[in-house]
Amino acid sequence: MAQYIGNSNDAGRAIQLLKKREKMKEEIELRKQKIHEDNVVAVSNITNKFAAHYDAVEQQLKDSTIGLVTLDEMKAKQDVLVKEREQEMAKKRLEESKEKKKSKIRVQQRAALSFVDDEEEDSDDSSDVETKPKIRKKGVGKNPDVDTSFLPDKAREEEENKRREKLRLEWVEMQEIIKQEVIEITYSYWDGSGHRRVTKVKKGNSIQQFLLKCMEALRKEFNELKTVTVEQLMYVKEDLILPHHYTFYDFIVTKARGKSGPLFHFDVHEDVRIVNDASVEKDESHAGKVVLRSWYERHKHIFPASRWEPFDPEKKWDKYTVSDKCK
């Protein structure tokens, strides 16, 4: 058998390790034995409790049974006695818990009384030594004359929100009434020359709804409109091509302007560029033009189509123009 040969330090280290291992084994054995003993004691306590309970029941059953009885009678008596025994034990536990609560309350009362007694003694001692009158400090109160309107107030904020909501609903209702108002619009179907017509729409109607109404009226006279749809038509007002989704109400409320006049006036005057000096702005509105997109694509390099451009709400036309450049 091979043996380990090393120096004295290694041998000492090996001996210490062996001692540690033996000590750990002894501790583990002691723990196991203790756990086993605790389990045996716990089980014996439980069995003793049950044994005592059922021994008492058995004794009562023997005392109450006289003579010969049937098995059913015996079982019935045993069940009754077990129930009575359980009720007695439950009452006993309840009384014990009540007694514990009372004892706790008594301890707390005694502790409180002891503190009161100490305070009384301290107060008596202090009164004997020196009797000074207690001066009550005057606290800082609220000044009713100070303006507190800038401070947050829940009730005031709720009232203000209700008032705002009421005003908003009134404004919305008023705008709906305005949108239902009927206006008369003079327009000109433009195919190189003007064919003036008049129609009535509501202020809340969109440009597309207006063009649909114009198309239905013009189809009887112009054959090129019999096969077109409303998407193939354009409405040009003051040299601006208006998008179909805008409503007349939008232009009226914002008081939008075009190159050659306001977009929110629909009464018609003669074209100032033909009758009067074109370089002088007048507070007049011109008839809008209903045009086929195909006609516009063919003639957009020729006047007046050369001046037309799409409507841009961000672009301001505050200055009157008669040419393609703003001066």
Side-chain angles (χ1 to χ4, degrees):
M1 185 176 176
Q3 292 183 355
Y4 173 76
I5 299 171
N7 55 21
S8 59
N9 291 333
D10 293 338
R13 226 178 268 154
I15 291 166
Q16 287 179 0
L17 287 171
L18 286 171
K19 287 180 180 179
K20 281 183 181 178
R21 284 178 185 173
E22 288 175 1
K23 193 175 181 181
M24 286 173 68
K25 283 180 181 179
E26 288 176 2
E27 287 177 357
I28 290 167
E29 289 296 329
L30 287 171
R31 285 180 187 174
K32 284 182 180 179
Q33 190 175 355
K34 190 176 181 183
I35 290 167
H36 179 68
E37 289 174 359
D38 291 342
N39 289 337
V40 170
V41 170
V43 170
S44 63
N45 288 337
I46 292 168
T47 54
N48 290 335
K49 285 180 182 178
F50 280 105
H53 174 63
Y54 283 104
D55 287 344
V57 172
E58 191 70 24
Q59 187 61 39
Q60 287 181 2
L61 185 63
K62 286 178 182 179
D63 295 339
S64 61
T65 305
I66 300 170
L68 297 172
V69 292
T70 61
L71 182 61
D72 294 335
E73 290 176 351
M74 192 75 163
K75 285 183 178 179
K77 280 187 179 182
Q78 189 177 7
D79 292 339
V80 170
L81 290 172
V82 168
K83 286 181 181 178
E84 288 177 356
R85 181 69 178 173
E86 287 176 353
Q87 288 176 358
E88 287 177 4
M89 291 180 72
K91 285 181 181 177
K92 193 175 180 181
R93 285 195 294 270
L94 185 63
E95 288 174 359
E96 287 176 357
S97 64
K98 285 182 179 177
E99 190 63 31
K100 285 181 181 178
K101 287 181 181 178
K102 286 180 181 178
S103 63
K104 283 183 181 179
I105 292 167
R106 287 196 202 103
V107 170
Q108 290 174 357
Q109 287 176 349
R110 284 174 188 169
L113 287 170
S114 65
F115 281 120
V116 170
D117 293 339
D118 293 340
E119 287 177 1
E120 287 178 355
E121 288 175 3
D122 293 340
S123 63
D124 292 340
D125 294 339
S126 62
S127 62
D128 293 339
V129 174
E130 187 177 3
T131 56
K132 286 185 179 181
K134 292 184 178 180
I135 300 168
R136 192 172 181 180
K137 291 183 179 180
K138 203 170 184 180
V140 179
K142 294 181 180 179
N143 187 356
D145 298 329
V146 175
D147 182 22
T148 59
S149 59
F150 61 91
L151 296 174
D153 187 352
K154 190 175 181 181
R156 187 169 64 240
E157 286 177 0
E158 287 179 358
E159 187 179 351
E160 187 176 350
N161 290 334
K162 287 179 182 178
R163 189 163 58 250
R164 285 182 179 177
E165 183 64 18
K166 185 180 177 183
L167 291 171
R168 188 187 70 80
L169 292 173
E170 287 177 0
W171 184 85
V172 169
E173 187 178 352
M174 190 185 301
Q175 300 311 306
E176 289 298 325
I177 292 169
I178 293 170
K179 287 179 182 180
Q180 295 302 317
E181 292 177 0
V182 177
I183 54 174
E184 188 177 85
I185 296 179
T186 303
Y187 67 94
S188 177
Y189 173 60
W190 190 265
D191 57 357
S193 59
H195 308 278
R196 189 166 289 188
R197 299 288 185 274
V198 178
T199 188
K200 290 183 179 180
V201 294
K202 292 179 181 178
K203 289 181 179 179
N205 288 145
S206 64
I207 301 298
Q208 187 175 17
Q209 290 171 326
F210 162 71
L211 288 173
L212 186 61
K213 202 168 185 180
C214 296
M215 185 178 66
E216 290 172 357
L218 294 169
R219 271 179 175 170
K220 299 173 185 177
E221 301 179 37
F222 302 95
N223 293 328
E224 64 269 21
L225 296 175
K226 288 183 179 180
T227 58
V228 300
T229 60
V230 70
E231 287 79 12
Q232 294 173 276
L233 291 176
M234 296 166 44
Y235 181 53
V236 183
K237 184 83 167 71
E238 308 302 340
D239 294 330
L240 294 181
I241 302 168
L242 304 184
H244 285 198
H245 64 274
Y246 277 89
T247 63
F248 293 100
Y249 170 82
D250 297 332
F251 299 115
I252 293 168
V253 170
T254 58
K255 296 188 179 296
R257 293 185 60 84
K259 286 185 177 183
S260 55
L263 296 174
F264 54 89
H265 286 167
F266 302 99
D267 52 339
V268 174
H269 302 274
E270 294 298 329
D271 196 335
V272 295
R273 292 169 295 192
I274 298 171
V275 179
N276 297 315
D277 185 2
S279 62
V280 180
E281 181 183 8
K282 295 189 177 182
D283 187 18
E284 295 177 343
S285 179
H286 314 110
K289 296 177 178 63
V290 176
V291 187
L292 277 167
R293 286 186 185 275
S294 57
W295 185 93
Y296 170 69
E297 292 297 332
R298 290 195 307 269
H299 300 87
K300 61 184 177 182
H301 60 287
I302 305 171
F303 184 85
S306 59
R307 273 179 55 83
W308 302 346
E309 63 178 85
F311 172 75
D312 183 3
E314 300 297 327
K315 196 170 184 179
K316 303 298 180 185
W317 295 100
D318 296 331
K319 193 171 182 181
Y320 177 74
T321 61
V322 293
S323 64
D324 294 334
K325 294 181 180 179
C326 295
K327 293 182 180 179

